[in-house]
Amino acid sequence: MKRFTAIILLSALLLTACTNTEPTESDTQSSSTSSVDSEESTVNSDSTASGGSSAILGGSSTTTNSSSSESSSDPTEGLTPLSFTDEDLELQEILRGLISGGAYEAYGWFYSFTVREPVEQKIRFNGDSRYDDRNAYKYDSYHIIPENYKDYTLTFPSTRDEMEEIVGRFFTKQETAEFMKRVAKGIVTGEKDGVLLVTLDSDTEVYMPPYYLEAGGRMYHINAFGVHQLNLDYNTARVTAKSDGKIEFTFLKDDYAYEPNTEFRYEELYYDYAEEGYIVLEDGEWKLPHIYV
């Protein structure tokens, strides 16, 4: 206790020398920072009331309150979660079956497909004007797709016809035909300096160079990489119009890569970010169009 009193007197004398005023009780109390009993509570209370050294305490208190307020802020506070009708839920089940059943993966074959540990094969298409001497192309680089290759749900097709059948399970006939313009079939007519010479079937309508090639009993994929995906969050789909052979709906994208907030599943935000889509009934099955969002 004597040591405590001496500290108080010394603090008071120093304060008097600096300000040339008489120290108040609150000044001397606020100078003690080591007490942890009820006496410290009285000091802080009196100090704030008298305006002595409370500027330091007040500043600290303000910072603490601001930090607490920021940490408790919730950007979705007060927003209403999405709700769905029975019709919406039925639609979501249809979309879930399509996308989870293989549509997501088949779509990715054309926009984000790569082979693990790829083996390169150089291929030159007979009669392709891109290989003229004045052009830079001497061959196209492809990757050999291993037999029974599988990434997720689907085993990769071993022929062009098999690929068309698989894609047609999930997409409309019109869109399947568009996809298949990127898949060619041909025969190997020779090899020179490690480059396969391939002649395409005359009835194959394809973009050149094709994404995929069936030739010599193997499937090849062009050495290129994309990152696009079937970006549809079926859990947010809502029916907007319905007929015997078509369902129109709105939905949120599964990934907003360029948005600061990735959660828009609220009534107040939904229609600001919702996309439009539809499915059609073909051969008794619901099919997707070419959704590119």
Side-chain angles (χ1 to χ4, degrees):
M1 187 64 183
K2 288 181 180 180
R3 183 182 178 185
F4 179 75
T5 302
I7 291 173
I8 291 178
L9 289 174
L10 179 57
S11 299
L13 288 172
L14 290 173
L15 185 60
T16 301
C18 294
T19 61
N20 200 26
T21 58
E22 290 295 326
T24 64
E25 181 181 351
S26 64
D27 291 330
T28 57
Q29 286 177 332
S30 63
S31 65
S32 174
T33 57
S34 60
S35 176
V36 293
D37 55 15
S38 62
E39 190 170 341
E40 180 185 5
S41 176
T42 303
V43 170
N44 291 338
S45 175
D46 291 346
S47 174
T48 303
S50 64
S53 58
S54 61
I56 298 176
L57 296 175
S60 175
S61 177
T62 301
T63 301
T64 301
N65 291 340
S66 173
S67 176
S68 175
S69 174
E70 289 176 3
S71 64
S72 63
S73 63
D74 181 0
T76 61
E77 187 175 356
L79 298 181
T80 310
L82 291 177
S83 60
F84 303 96
T85 66
D86 289 342
E87 244 184 8
D88 296 336
L89 296 176
E90 290 176 6
L91 169 64
Q92 290 174 17
E93 280 302 310
I94 295 172
L95 293 174
R96 179 182 291 107
L98 284 168
I99 294 174
S100 298
Y104 182 92
E105 191 171 355
Y107 186 92
W109 287 345
F110 297 90
Y111 294 107
S112 58
F113 181 79
T114 57
V115 179
R116 297 185 301 272
E117 301 178 2
V119 177
E120 185 185 29
Q121 175 61 63
K122 299 171 184 177
I123 296 176
R124 182 183 175 100
F125 297 98
N126 292 322
D128 192 335
S129 61
R130 293 179 306 121
Y131 305 123
D132 290 347
D133 292 339
R134 59 191 170 184
N135 294 329
Y137 291 100
K138 300 302 178 187
Y139 56 81
D140 288 294
S141 178
Y142 279 78
H143 288 160
I144 301 172
I145 300 175
E147 293 183 7
N148 302 315
Y149 185 83
K150 187 174 184 178
D151 269 335
Y152 302 104
T153 303
L154 305 174
T155 299
F156 197 88
S158 57
T159 66
R160 185 184 187 278
D161 289 343
E162 186 182 354
M163 174 175 276
E164 186 172 15
E165 186 275 324
I166 293 174
V167 173
R169 295 178 197 170
F170 313 106
F171 295 93
T172 63
K173 293 177 181 178
Q174 180 181 355
E175 298 307 330
T176 298
E178 288 299 315
F179 279 129
M180 296 309 295
K181 288 179 180 179
R182 296 170 170 83
V183 186
K185 183 178 180 179
I187 59 173
V188 178
T189 57
E191 181 177 354
K192 183 179 180 180
D193 299 328
V195 179
L196 287 185
L197 304 180
V198 174
T199 300
L200 296 180
D201 288 2
S202 58
D203 61 346
T204 302
E205 179 189 3
V206 297
Y207 295 115
M208 290 299 293
Y211 286 10
Y212 292 99
L213 169 68
E214 176 195 348
R218 308 205 70 159
M219 287 289 286
Y220 300 89
H221 175 253
I222 195 165
N223 183 8
F225 178 73
V227 294
H228 194 73
Q229 62 184 14
L230 182 56
N231 202 353
L232 191 162
D233 182 358
Y234 50 77
N235 290 309
T236 64
R238 282 177 161 176
V239 177
T240 56
K242 190 174 182 180
S243 63
D244 290 340
K246 185 176 183 179
I247 302 176
E248 298 176 43
F249 58 92
T250 54
F251 65 94
L252 293 177
K253 292 193 288 187
D254 197 37
D255 175 32
Y256 285 82
Y258 302 102
E259 295 292 341
N261 188 351
T262 58
E263 292 296 332
F264 301 101
R265 298 184 184 185
Y266 297 92
E267 297 290 350
E268 293 81 359
L269 301 176
Y270 181 81
Y271 290 105
D272 290 337
Y273 296 93
E275 305 281 347
E276 295 181 351
Y278 67 91
I279 52 176
V280 296
L281 198 62
E282 282 188 353
D283 301 327
E285 300 289 338
W286 289 105
K287 303 292 179 66
L288 286 161
H290 186 174
I291 297 179
Y292 197 110
V293 294

